Amino acid sequence: MLQTVWVSSPGSWALRGPACHRGGKQASWKCGFVRTIIQRPRPRHDTKGPRKARMLRKIQICLCFFFVSGILYEISLLSGCFFSYVPMSKHFLTPEQVLNLGKSIIFLETTDRLEPPPLVSCSVESAARIYQDRPIILFMKGLTNDTALDLNSSYAAFSLLSSMKNVFIFPLQMETVFQETPLLQWYNQVVPEQEKNWVHVSSDASRLALIWKYGGIYMDTDVISIRPIPEESFLAAQKSRFSSNGIFGFPAHHKFIWDCMENFVLKYNGKIWGNQGPFLMTRMLKTICNLTDFKGTEDHSCQNISFLNPQRFYPIPYPAWGRYYEVWDKSPNFNHSYALHLWNFMNHNRKVVVAGSNTLAEKLYKAYCPTTYEDLIQNAEVRDFRHSEDVA
């Protein structure tokens, strides 16, 4: 038999054999029972010997079957080929185990809030629907290993997202994330309380470390996925000759990401917003590529890195971010886009999706995160009901 030990702290799980294989001093009764059945010789005078021998063989076959089944089950937890079975035990998996499944879609929440707002929920849900064969991971700084959040959580978004088979929500432990990267020394020296843009700076650093270590795609929590991204190594152009860092993807241990982490530390200036984010990506891309203007909807490529057209993620540029919250006579089809960035930093949460408003953002919610949208409607109905009671 195969006995499994799951430990909640990242990277500290192990598989153990039966207790009888650990020196014999504390052999379990099960192991003793197996030894008794298998090793005890049959007395010569026992007239029921043949029947007992057949019984022993059946027991041995059953034990072998359960042993092999246990091994196959454990392998299935760590194999992308059997990813559809992960949800049965996904609450026992550590971040490292899920990330090692490969090709994760990673989201970060570097504030201390525990209830993801609707736009965050929509971003994660849309990715889970578009990339059904890939792990979708939301790292949250406000969580700890002792925080019990599951399907019965009082936080509605957790219940919603946890019910999706390929969505995982883990604590963001930066010191662990930065291990074995150039960012660890910087993290040990910086004083978060003295940093003007710490929420953004810490997010910029964390996304680099996670993608370098494990590979996959990073997305901001205001990005709604609408179709799969076909590229493995890519940056997203926000405009000609300028890269964003709100969405990018690379395989593990890619040199470009390592160079970005080194430049992050070398050129660190926390007072300038974006210096470790889009400006970092742009200046590093310029060191290896001769950037030119985009003429149409074509993508650019340099040293096996795809520099994707602004239409892929930013068809509505940041000066016009409010258009997502307007009613359109004819909604755009976004045929050239893989995902849509809703510019929540520009919005500062001033505009939200309102059920029945018929805005472009509401239509996107309906199409790509319908569960979040249904929850939004239910919450609106509850608020309206309470308001009517208060007025009465």
Side-chain angles (χ1 to χ4, degrees):
M1 290 187 296
L2 188 66
Q3 183 179 357
T4 308
V5 175
W6 300 106
V7 182
S8 60
S9 58
S12 59
W13 69 286
L15 298 180
R16 300 189 309 190
C20 55
H21 292 166
R22 301 198 300 272
K25 292 184 179 181
Q26 295 181 345
S28 68
W29 68 269
K30 293 182 181 179
C31 296
F33 175 71
V34 173
R35 286 199 181 112
T36 300
I37 292 178
I38 296 177
Q39 297 180 357
R40 182 172 295 169
R42 176 174 57 87
R44 294 184 179 181
H45 64 274
D46 190 349
T47 58
K48 298 181 180 180
R51 192 191 312 174
K52 289 185 177 180
R54 287 194 297 271
M55 184 181 297
L56 286 175
R57 281 196 295 272
K58 290 180 179 179
I59 293 174
Q60 288 174 325
I61 292 172
C62 290
L63 290 174
C64 289
F65 172 79
F66 288 119
F67 178 75
V68 173
S69 297
I71 291 178
L72 292 176
Y73 176 72
E74 297 296 340
I75 292 175
S76 73
L77 289 177
L78 303 178
S79 170
C81 298
F82 296 92
F83 187 73
S84 61
Y85 295 107
V86 167
M88 294 176 60
S89 301
K90 75 174 189 176
H91 297 295
F92 296 99
L93 296 175
T94 66
E96 187 173 24
Q97 287 173 286
V98 178
L99 288 162
N100 282 331
L101 291 170
K103 296 186 176 181
S104 299
I105 310 295
I106 297 173
F107 295 89
L108 295 174
E109 175 58 76
T110 51
T111 70
D112 289 324
R113 65 184 175 191
L114 290 175
E115 172 66 349
L119 182 53
V120 175
S121 178
C122 184
S123 297
V124 176
E125 179 187 347
S126 65
R129 291 178 179 276
I130 296 298
Y131 303 95
Q132 296 186 20
D133 60 338
R134 300 174 70 163
I136 313 299
I137 307 175
L138 173 60
F139 285 99
M140 301 190 72
K141 178 178 173 290
L143 289 181
T144 67
N145 283 335
D146 298 325
T147 307
L149 293 168
D150 52 26
L151 292 173
N152 297 318
S153 170
S154 59
Y155 297 105
F158 276 101
S159 298
L160 186 158
L161 296 175
S162 296
S163 65
M164 299 178 184
K165 67 177 184 178
N166 58 333
V167 173
F168 300 81
I169 303 176
F170 292 122
L172 176 60
Q173 299 173 330
M174 293 185 191
E175 187 171 354
T176 300
V177 167
F178 297 142
Q179 292 291 333
E180 302 177 1
T181 76
L183 298 169
L184 183 61
Q185 181 180 1
W186 160 80
Y187 180 73
N188 288 334
Q189 294 175 349
V190 72
V191 181
E193 293 77 14
Q194 298 177 2
E195 292 291 324
K196 177 182 177 182
N197 299 300
W198 179 246
V199 168
H200 302 287
V201 169
S202 59
S203 178
D204 292 335
S206 298
R207 68 188 71 175
L208 288 172
L210 286 166
I211 294 299
W212 183 81
K213 281 186 171 183
Y214 303 103
I217 295 174
Y218 167 81
M219 293 184 183
D220 277 349
T221 52
D222 56 351
V223 172
I224 298 178
S225 298
I226 61 177
R227 57 178 57 90
I229 302 169
E231 307 290 341
E232 184 178 18
S233 301
F234 72 90
L235 293 172
Q238 185 173 315
K239 59 182 180 179
S240 288
R241 308 187 189 204
F242 189 81
S243 176
S244 79
N245 75 329
I247 178 167
F248 61 92
F250 285 90
H253 301 153
H254 196 283
K255 184 179 185 300
F256 179 80
I257 299 299
W258 181 268
D259 292 343
C260 284
M261 291 190 292
E262 289 188 328
N263 191 269
F264 182 107
V265 178
L266 182 65
K267 301 290 186 180
Y268 181 74
N269 187 338
K271 296 179 181 179
I272 302 175
W273 185 92
N275 186 61
Q276 283 68 234
F279 294 110
L280 166 66
M281 291 297 203
T282 301
R283 64 177 176 262
M284 295 306 296
L285 189 60
K286 286 181 176 179
T287 63
I288 60 174
C289 301
N290 181 23
L291 301 182
T292 58
D293 291 339
F294 291 94
K295 302 300 183 183
T297 58
E298 83 287 355
D299 299 320
H300 292 172
S301 180
C302 176
Q303 295 193 14
N304 296 323
I305 298 176
S306 296
F307 191 40
L308 300 185
N309 194 286
Q311 288 294 315
R312 305 294 178 238
F313 307 103
Y314 305 103
I316 297 179
Y318 76 89
W321 65 268
R323 298 214 64 192
Y324 279 113
Y325 299 93
E326 295 176 357
V327 178
W328 292 51
D329 293 334
K330 182 180 179 181
S331 297
N333 54 36
F334 299 117
N335 285 338
H336 299 294
S337 302
Y338 302 133
L340 303 173
H341 194 286
L342 268 62
W343 304 108
N344 197 51
F345 177 73
M346 304 296 296
N347 182 4
H348 295 294
N349 295 311
R350 287 175 294 181
K351 293 184 180 292
V352 297
V353 172
V354 178
S357 61
N358 202 35
T359 61
L360 177 58
E362 183 191 16
K363 292 180 178 180
L364 294 174
Y365 274 47
K366 286 181 178 179
Y368 302 108
C369 55
T371 306
T372 296
Y373 182 70
E374 290 175 7
D375 184 69
L376 192 72
I377 293 175
Q378 292 175 359
N379 289 339
E381 291 175 347
V382 170
R383 286 194 300 269
D384 291 343
F385 177 75
R386 289 176 178 172
H387 178 71
S388 63
E389 282 191 330
D390 292 340
V391 172

